[in-house]
Amino acid sequence: DTKVPDIGVASVVDEMKEAADFGLAVEDPTTQTGAKQDFVQNLVDDPLQVFRQMNTYTLMVAQGLSTALLITGQGGVGKSYNVGRILSAYGKKGKDYVVMKGRSTIAAMYKFLYDNYDKTVVFDDCDSVLQDNDGLNILKGVLDTGEIREVSWNNSRTVNTFGCETHEEIEAVLEKYAKDHKKIKADLVPSYFRFMGSCIFISNLSAADLLKNAAMAPLLTRCNTVDIQLTPDEVITKMEVALPGMHIYDARGKDIT
């Protein structure tokens, strides 16, 4: 579990400077003005340390400084809400980030990762992908720490794309296969691709629960991790902070705040 002793805008900037040393173009929140600056400052000034840590790590993913974040623990305390606010402030849903909620087969997860190979992919309450050894092996490839993150699923239902080096090459192979075999291209799954995005996992399970599966340990070495376990007093503190900015919706999705 990675711990940050003093979370704030300065720590995000330090990470950005380190990334810049490797030629990465990243956005410094302290150069922002007005609403954007206030937004970032409010996130990293959260009264609870664990939420300052979670918000900072999410900012790092949103700004391209980190490729993986695992958020575990107590439900109903704002994990998904905070992640969604940050990602929507730095990108557009469907274009820059996507969300998978609920149970997923490993095959569906693999296809979802391919279809969104260059986006931030959020798995929200999608614990099935973290509890299956095949799924964990795929995710280890997706979150590899090397320059090139290669992922493969080789079986009779996938189209052979080994040897392809770019997404465009893979798409050309799938296009040709669909034409030659009278298939729908959108239904085809490549046997190999390179993932260039990032992942955020949000789970109500605790880190201890997930680690009961030994295969989970290697994945944790590839992620920043936050485990949220609040006391009753901390839950009240969090509610006091969150309520002024929250919206309430009825069963049809109408804002009734």
Side-chain angles (χ1 to χ4, degrees), residues 33-246:
T33 58
K36 190 80 169 277
Q37 172 72 43
D38 293 340
F39 173 78
V40 173
Q41 193 66 55
N42 287 338
L43 287 171
V44 297
D45 281 346
D46 192 287
L48 298 182
Q49 162 74 14
V50 70
F51 276 88
R52 295 199 299 274
Q53 184 177 6
M54 183 186 78
N55 293 339
T56 299
Y57 284 156
T58 307
L59 279 165
M60 289 167 62
V61 172
Q63 297 172 17
L65 292 172
S66 175
T67 58
L69 171 60
L70 172 64
I71 306 169
T72 56
Q74 213 164 341
V77 295
K79 299 192 300 293
S80 301
Y81 175 73
N82 276 32
V83 168
R85 285 181 65 213
I86 294 170
L87 294 181
S88 63
Y90 283 86
K92 184 177 180 181
K93 189 174 183 180
K95 179 178 180 293
D96 302 296
Y97 72 96
V98 292
V99 180
M100 175 180 277
K101 295 178 72 75
R103 193 179 189 284
S104 171
T105 66
I106 303 309
M109 178 196 75
Y110 179 86
K111 181 67 162 58
F112 192 68
L113 287 166
Y114 172 71
D115 289 341
N116 300 285
Y117 78 102
D118 59 350
K119 300 179 179 67
T120 294
V121 180
V122 180
F123 294 97
D124 190 359
D125 287 332
C126 202
D127 298 332
S128 54
V129 305
L130 297 173
Q131 295 177 312
D132 184 283
N133 286 354
D134 286 338
L136 290 173
N137 285 330
I138 290 170
L139 291 173
K140 283 190 289 184
V142 164
L143 304 178
D144 189 74
T145 55
E147 180 181 358
I148 297 174
R149 290 176 280 158
E150 300 175 303
V151 195
S152 62
W153 182 305
N154 194 22
N155 61 37
S156 60
R157 296 185 298 277
T158 56
V159 178
N160 183 11
T161 52
F162 284 99
C164 295
E165 295 186 357
T166 67
H167 187 75
E168 290 71 24
E169 288 180 43
I170 293 173
E171 286 289 287
V173 170
L174 297 180
E175 186 75 45
K176 184 177 186 305
Y177 186 94
K179 183 178 180 180
D180 292 346
H181 296 82
K182 294 181 172 54
K183 300 287 187 179
I184 300 174
K185 178 175 168 292
D187 294 337
L188 300 178
V189 179
S191 62
Y192 165 93
F193 69 96
R194 295 181 179 184
F195 188 75
M196 300 171 63
S198 54
C199 291
I200 297 177
F201 306 94
I202 305 172
S203 172
N204 288 343
L205 296 175
S206 69
D209 288 335
L210 290 174
L211 279 172
K212 289 177 182 177
N213 180 359
M216 184 69 190
L219 186 68
L220 293 182
T221 66
R222 294 163 164 82
C223 298
N224 285 324
T225 61
V226 181
D227 190 43
I228 298 178
Q229 303 295 338
L230 303 183
T231 66
D233 286 344
E234 287 174 329
V235 171
I236 292 173
T237 297
K238 187 60 188 170
M239 290 175 63
E240 290 173 343
V241 172
L243 280 175
M246 290 185 67

